[in-house]
Structures are given as C-alpha cells and as structure tokens.
C-alpha cells in the first residue's frame, strides 16, 4: 500500500500559516508564557517545512534538520522556563511590559 501523497505546496502552505500564527502571537501577546509558546509554534512550522521538503526530494536532510530544531527547542524551553521563574520571582508578574523596566 502506497503512502498518502500530499502535494508539497499544501504542506508548505500549512507550515507558513503556522509560522504566521506564531509570529502574530509573538507580536501581540505580552505574557512571557505565550511568547515562548509562539516561538515553539514557529520552530515547529520550520521543522514541518524541512521534513516536507526532505520527503518530497527523497533526501534525509529534512529529518536531520528536524532533529537539530528539536534540540534547539528543548534548550529554548529549558532556558525560557528558568527566565520565567526569575521574572515571576522578581517582578511578581509575567507581563513583559512590566518587566521591561528592569532596574538593578
């Protein structure tokens, strides 16, 4: 049985839509948790585009880049959650506008 063949244009359209949603969330939201989630959506959209292109051309490069993006996302989550804890502890809020006035 053959696999499901989805045209590359459709996958890239979904990937660009996800990336746009992530960018919109990054620009509109002020809560640091939502900002980190928007960054994750953008990274996953890029990973989807790489995997789709690699599968379309029959090359393993897309899966290799996907593993790189996965490790970058894991590091981003670890550092981001550490920053979230520090901002919450220091400013008693997760609103980035309030934390923008960082004083020593």
């Amino acid at each position: 049985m053959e696999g499901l063949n989805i045209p590359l244009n459709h996958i890239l359209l979904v990937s660009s839509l996800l990336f746009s949603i992530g960018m919109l969330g990054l620009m509109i939201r002020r809560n640091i948790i939502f900002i980190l989630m928007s960054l994750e959506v953008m990274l996953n959209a890029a990973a989807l585009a790489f995997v789709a292109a690699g599968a379309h051309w029959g090359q393993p490069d897309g899966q290799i880049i996907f593993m790189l993006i996965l490790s970058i996302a894991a590091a981003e989550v670890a550092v981001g959650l550490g920053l979230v804890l520090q901002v919450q502890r220091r400013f008693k809020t997760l609103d980035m506008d309030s934390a923008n006035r960082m004083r020593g």
Side-chain angles (χ1 to χ4, degrees):
M1 182 173 161
E2 285 290 317
L4 181 64
N5 286 332
I6 301 173
L8 181 63
N9 292 338
H10 294 169
I11 298 174
L12 292 179
L13 180 69
V14 169
S15 177
S16 63
L17 183 67
L18 280 174
F19 193 86
S20 300
I21 289 170
M23 181 66 77
L24 186 68
L26 190 69
M27 292 188 306
I28 291 177
R29 291 298 204 165
R30 290 292 133 209
N31 190 333
I32 194 165
I33 299 290
F34 286 111
I35 290 173
L36 289 175
M37 287 186 341
S38 297
L39 284 173
E40 287 296 321
V41 169
M42 290 170 64
L43 282 173
N44 286 330
L48 176 65
F50 278 116
V51 168
H56 179 73
W57 288 305
Q59 298 292 324
D61 298 344
Q63 283 82 9
I64 293 169
I65 297 297
F66 174 74
M67 295 301 286
L68 176 69
I69 289 173
L70 217 61
S71 62
I72 289 172
E76 182 250 334
V77 165
V79 170
L81 288 178
L83 287 172
V84 165
L85 289 173
Q86 289 299 320
V87 167
Q88 173 64 29
R89 189 177 296 165
R90 182 175 179 139
F91 297 106
K92 305 293 188 247
T93 183
L94 291 179
D95 186 28
M96 288 305 293
D97 288 333
S98 299
N100 195 17
R101 296 180 294 274
M102 290 186 167
R103 288 178 242 134

